[in-house]
Amino acid sequence: MNLTEQILHRKVPPTEEFSTKRTSAWAEVDSEGRLVLPREVVQGFGLKPGTKMRLDEGENHFRLHRPLTQLTKVYVEPTVSCNLDCITCFRNEWDQPLGRMQDATFASVLEGLQQMDPRPSVYFGGIGEPLFHPSTLDWIEQAKALGVKVELITNGTILNEKTARRLIDSGLDMLWVSLDGASEETYADVRLGAELPRILRNLRRFVKMRPANHYPKPELGIAFVAMKRNIADLPKVIRLGKSLKARHFAVSNLQPATAGMQAELLYDQTMNNIAFLQGSHLPSLSLPKMDFDETTRDALFEAFNSQLNVQFAGNNWGGASDTCNYIENGTMSIAWTGDVSPCWPLMHTHTSYLHGKPRLSGKHVIGNVADRSLEELWMDPGYVAYRERLHNFVFAPCSFCGGCDLSEKNEEDCLGNTESPVCGGCLWAQGIIQCP
C-alpha cells in the first residue's frame, strides 16, 4: 500500500505535508465585465466597496496584491535590552536609549487590537530579548484572549520550565528560536554569553512539555542568520531542528552593524546581480525540478550563476526585487516606546554598512499608540500614501549601486525623492535580509 493509500485508509495520520487541499478558488466575470471574487476571499482580505488593489500581469496570469487598507500583523517590541551581546546586533554600533515597554503602552495596543475587525495577529520581537521583559508572558496571554494568532521570538536562554509552561498554557501559536550554530564553538562565536547545550536542554524540555498531538502547539521555528563563519553549520542546524520537531526554518543574511562584520557577508555577487535579475531583456533559462546530488551539483551551480534570468520549475530563481514584504504582508511595527513605524528596520535609528560605507537609517514614526488607536494610525493619510509609494517602489537602486553620498542615509535619493524615508538601500526589499 503506497503512502496515499495509507492516508486514505487512515493508516497514518494526515499531515500538512500530505494534504491535497488547495487554497485556490474560482472567480467569475459578470455580465458587465466586472471580476467577482468569492465571498470568503472578500472577507478574508477585508475588501470593502471602494477598496483598491494593485494588479500585476504575468504571461498566463494576473496577481492581485493585498489591499493597502488591510492590517494583518502587528510587531510588538517589549524591550531593546538583552542578556546577550551577539555580534549580529545593531546595538553594537548605536546610541539609542535602552528601555522597555510600559504596561499602559501595551494596554493601548491591546485596546486597539480589540477595536479592529478583523483583528491582526501579534508578533513579539524586536531589537531586544522579549522574555527579558517581566510582562511579556502576561501580554501574550492577553493577546491570545482576543482570539488572534500570537508569535514570539527568543534566544532561548531563559526558556526555563516555568516560562515554557506559561507559554504552552497561554495558547501561543508559534515560538521562534534563534539558533546560529550547531556546535558549541560556532554558536558561542555568534551569540556571546550563551551556551548551546543549555539552549538545547531548554528546547528539548519545551518540546516534551507540549500536549501530545499531531500538530502540537506552540509550533517551533528555527531562525538562522547566515554568515561565512557559520554557513557550513546550516545543514546541521536543520537536522538539529528536525530532531526537535521544528516545523519552520527561516534563514536570513547578515546586515552588518559594524565595519568588521562586512567580511562575513554572503551576498557580494547577489548585490551585483540584482540589476540583471530585474531586467526582462536578459536571455532566460528554464529548468525543471531535478535531483540535487553529486551528479547535478556542478552543472546546476554554474547554471544558477550564468547571468541568465533563471526560472526553476516555473518560479524565478532571483525572486521579486523592489518589494517591501512588510507592506505586502500588511504589517506595522510598534517600538517599546509605543511609537508606530512601517517596519521593523525603521523602529530605531541605526547604522549598517552598504558597499563598504556606513549607512545611517533614521527611524520613521507615524505616531504613538498613546495618542491614537491602531486603526487611526494605520489609516493615517501620510502612512497610506507611504505604503502606496512602496507598492510602486519609486526609489533609486541604492542596494546595488551605492555610488553617491546620498546612499549613506535614507533621507533622499538621486531620483528626487526627498520625503524621508527613502527605501532604495533596503536589503529587506531585495529579499537579501528577511525576518521570520
Side-chain angles (χ1 to χ4, degrees):
M1 183 180 293
N2 62 32
L3 181 58
T4 302
E5 291 171 332
Q6 293 180 56
I7 294 173
L8 292 175
H9 288 83
R10 295 296 186 264
K11 298 298 184 181
V12 296
T15 67
E16 291 177 7
E17 287 88 350
F18 307 138
S19 173
T20 58
K21 182 180 178 181
R22 302 187 66 180
T23 57
S24 59
W26 286 96
E28 62 181 29
V29 178
D30 66 13
S31 59
E32 297 184 25
R34 296 173 301 191
L35 181 66
V36 180
L37 299 176
R39 183 180 298 275
E40 61 271 21
V41 173
V42 172
Q43 293 175 340
F45 283 87
L47 304 181
K48 298 176 182 178
T51 297
K52 292 194 302 182
M53 292 181 290
R54 176 182 165 188
L55 185 148
D56 291 335
E57 291 187 56
E59 185 174 352
N60 297 307
H61 68 278
F62 64 82
R63 175 189 177 197
L64 286 175
H65 292 249
R66 185 185 303 280
L68 291 173
T69 53
Q70 188 192 30
L71 177 61
T72 64
K73 180 186 286 189
V74 175
Y75 289 89
V76 177
E77 178 184 66
T79 180
V80 288
S81 298
C82 188
N83 58 333
L84 300 182
D85 287 312
C86 303
I87 62 173
T88 56
C89 187
F90 282 135
R91 293 185 305 137
N92 289 316
E93 194 164 306
W94 74 340
D95 58 359
Q96 300 300 299
L98 298 181
R100 64 188 191 190
M101 183 175 286
Q102 298 299 308
D103 287 327
T105 302
F106 184 76
S108 296
V109 175
L110 198 67
E111 183 179 358
L113 292 170
Q114 289 175 314
Q115 295 170 353
M116 301 200 74
D117 184 24
R119 292 169 179 165
S121 65
V122 180
Y123 182 107
F124 288 95
I127 290 290
E129 164 56 43
L131 291 179
F132 207 47
H133 193 300
S135 296
T136 297
L137 295 174
D138 295 331
W139 295 345
I140 291 172
E141 293 168 352
Q142 293 166 17
K144 280 305 301 178
L146 298 179
V148 302
K149 178 182 179 181
V150 178
E151 301 176 73
L152 168 75
I153 189 167
T154 177
N155 58 37
T157 56
I158 48 182
L159 186 63
N160 56 38
E161 184 172 357
K162 181 179 178 181
T163 298
R165 172 51 56 200
R166 284 197 64 183
L167 289 175
I168 293 168
D169 291 346
S170 71
L172 180 72
D173 296 278
M174 185 76 193
L175 177 70
W176 289 97
V177 179
S178 297
L179 208 59
D180 298 322
S183 70
E184 292 187 45
E185 296 76 19
T186 305
Y187 180 84
D189 190 39
V190 177
R191 300 266 163 184
L192 306 183
E195 298 176 351
L196 183 61
R198 178 183 177 185
I199 306 300
L200 296 181
R201 284 196 301 270
N202 289 346
L203 290 177
R204 292 188 178 108
R205 179 178 57 233
F206 173 82
V207 169
K208 289 181 179 179
M209 290 173 65
R210 295 183 303 178
N213 194 299
H214 293 311
Y215 309 106
K217 289 291 185 75
E219 291 187 354
L220 181 63
I222 302 298
F224 179 90
V225 178
M227 297 169 277
K228 287 181 180 177
R229 68 176 63 197
N230 71 346
I231 188 62
D233 265 23
L234 178 58
K236 301 173 187 176
V237 168
I238 293 174
R239 288 195 294 270
L240 186 58
K242 290 173 69 175
S243 74
L244 294 166
K245 298 182 173 59
R247 297 281 296 164
H248 307 274
F249 295 84
V251 179
S252 176
N253 278 298
L254 165 75
Q255 185 169 33
T258 62
M261 290 303 292
Q262 294 178 94
E264 297 290 337
L265 300 184
L266 298 172
Y267 48 86
D268 286 336
Q269 182 176 337
T270 297
M271 294 284 283
N272 293 329
N273 288 348
I274 283 178
F276 297 109
L277 290 170
Q278 296 182 74
S280 59
H281 62 281
L282 282 180
S284 63
L285 170 64
S286 179
L287 294 171
K289 291 182 179 179
M290 65 175 66
D291 294 341
F292 286 111
D293 56 24
E294 293 182 356
T295 303
T296 64
R297 179 178 57 200
D298 293 341
L300 290 176
F301 176 81
E302 291 198 31
F304 285 130
N305 288 282
S306 61
Q307 297 295 307
L308 299 178
N309 192 351
V310 179
Q311 299 282 327
F312 180 72
N315 297 296
N316 192 298
W317 177 253
S321 298
D322 292 347
T323 301
C324 177
N325 286 324
Y326 289 99
I327 300 301
E328 291 282 322
N329 295 335
T331 74
M332 70 159 50
S333 299
I334 306 176
W336 65 272
T337 57
D339 286 340
V340 171
S341 297
C343 62
W344 180 89
L346 290 177
M347 285 197 298
H348 304 284
T349 297
H350 63 275
T351 298
S352 60
Y353 284 78
L354 182 67
H355 299 294
K357 298 185 296 184
R359 174 178 169 84
L360 182 66
S361 296
K363 68 179 180 180
H364 182 66
V365 177
I366 309 300
N368 194 285
V369 297
D371 303 321
R372 289 188 283 170
S373 70
L374 292 187
E375 187 162 12
E376 289 173 331
L377 290 162
W378 178 247
M379 296 307 298
D380 178 274
Y383 191 6
V384 174
Y386 173 70
R387 298 201 295 270
E388 289 178 346
R389 290 172 62 210
L390 279 166
H391 251 312
N392 298 319
F393 213 86
V394 291
F395 304 105
C398 302
S399 295
F400 62 85
C401 175
C404 70
D405 292 343
L406 294 178
S407 67
E408 297 176 15
K409 293 183 180 181
N410 65 339
E411 295 177 351
E412 59 179 308
D413 64 26
C414 61
L415 294 185
N417 291 301
T418 57
E419 187 177 347
S420 179
V422 296
C423 299
C426 178
L427 299 184
W428 277 266
Q430 303 302 336
I432 293 174
I433 310 295
Q434 57 182 11
C435 298

